[in-house]
Amino acid sequence: MSEATTWGREHWLDIRNYHEGWASRARFAARHIPHRWVSDIGCGKQALSKYLRPGAIYLPSDMKAWDDNVETCDLNEGQLPTKSLSLADVAVLLGVIERIVDLPTLFASLARATEHLVVSYHPIEKRPTFSGVDVWCHQYSAQEITVMLRAAGYDEITTREFKEQTIWYARSKSFTREQREARSKVRAGYAGPRPSLGRRFRRLFGL
């Protein structure tokens, strides 16, 4: 792992380095997430949970367990949030993959683990000028990310632009009927948190 990547990992273990302004990206991405079971990988302050459809089951994960509901994972070490992914319709990674060393392997692993993917990236054609870029592992173009997703087994790929970033929505061709059946069985035994009536109301009205 490079020096920049190591520095970046420590940086993201401190919740003070997560900006409130990133909630606007989560809100934008959530408008096009119709799924009920949502795995938020690299959840941070869990802003996405506020904007999902009413009744959505939110499954947060990150390198650090910010609370009792957060499953730990480390994508650069090949550690996926397997419990969350076994339940989820969709894996969401917002502001995450710029710091992942091996994107093709990650995309292939996620394509086998869950049916849909939502991922944001700051492509090279929109290169930023802020100093935070020194903790990024790579600079790909938007087209290169799309090619990687297709090579990993995704199709039905669409993109939407949010400020200087691109957000991809994709479906895995690798996810099988047998996996859907297994997922249904796992969900039947799910005993985790579900959205309260108050949270459903806030989600419904985007509050």
Side-chain angles (χ1 to χ4, degrees):
M1 188 176 294
S2 70
E3 181 179 352
T5 303
T6 303
W7 183 91
R9 186 182 192 283
E10 296 304 317
H11 184 77
W12 300 117
L13 290 174
D14 186 342
I15 200 66
R16 294 173 297 181
N17 293 319
Y18 289 74
H19 302 294
E20 297 294 338
W22 292 339
S24 60
R25 177 181 56 199
R27 184 172 189 170
F28 179 87
R31 293 173 186 168
H32 306 285
I33 299 176
H35 314 287
R36 184 166 182 237
W37 297 76
V38 180
S39 172
D40 184 11
I41 303 176
C43 62
K45 293 186 175 182
Q46 304 180 46
L48 183 66
S49 68
K50 301 177 183 178
Y51 306 117
L52 297 171
R53 57 174 283 187
I57 307 297
Y58 178 71
L59 306 163
S61 60
D62 211 330
M63 290 188 294
K64 183 174 181 177
W66 306 109
D67 60 42
D68 292 343
N69 296 321
V70 176
E71 181 180 1
T72 57
C73 62
D74 190 333
L75 303 183
N76 274 324
E77 298 297 329
Q79 180 189 353
L80 297 177
T82 54
K83 181 178 178 181
S84 298
L85 290 173
S86 71
L87 293 159
D89 298 303
V90 58
V92 181
L93 297 91
L94 301 177
V96 172
I97 66 170
E98 288 87 347
R99 302 166 186 90
I100 302 305
V101 175
D102 187 351
L103 280 189
T105 296
L106 174 62
F107 287 158
S109 297
L110 290 171
R112 293 190 296 268
T114 195
E115 191 164 5
H116 298 273
L117 177 70
V118 177
V119 61
S120 73
Y121 188 72
H122 195 144
I124 193 170
E125 59 266 29
K126 299 178 181 179
R127 184 187 298 273
T129 57
F130 56 85
S131 61
V133 72
D134 62 3
V135 302
W136 292 2
C137 296
H138 38 65
Q139 278 276 278
Y140 292 116
S141 69
Q143 179 59 29
E144 287 174 316
I145 295 292
T146 299
V147 168
M148 271 188 237
L149 289 170
R150 292 196 184 281
Y154 288 98
D155 63 3
E156 299 180 23
I157 299 171
T158 60
T159 61
R160 291 179 170 85
E161 302 304 312
F162 176 73
K163 297 182 179 179
E164 73 282 0
Q165 299 181 43
T166 300
I167 300 177
W168 284 259
Y169 299 79
R171 178 181 176 275
S172 172
K173 296 185 295 183
S174 305
F175 201 77
T176 65
R177 183 179 63 183
E178 289 75 19
Q179 285 177 286
R180 293 187 190 97
E181 292 172 352
R183 183 177 62 190
S184 295
K185 292 178 181 178
V186 174
R187 288 177 180 174
Y190 175 72
R194 295 177 182 268
S196 66
L197 291 177
R199 174 159 288 188
R200 291 183 186 185
F201 178 85
R202 291 193 295 272
R203 287 176 179 172
L204 181 60
F205 292 97
L207 301 176

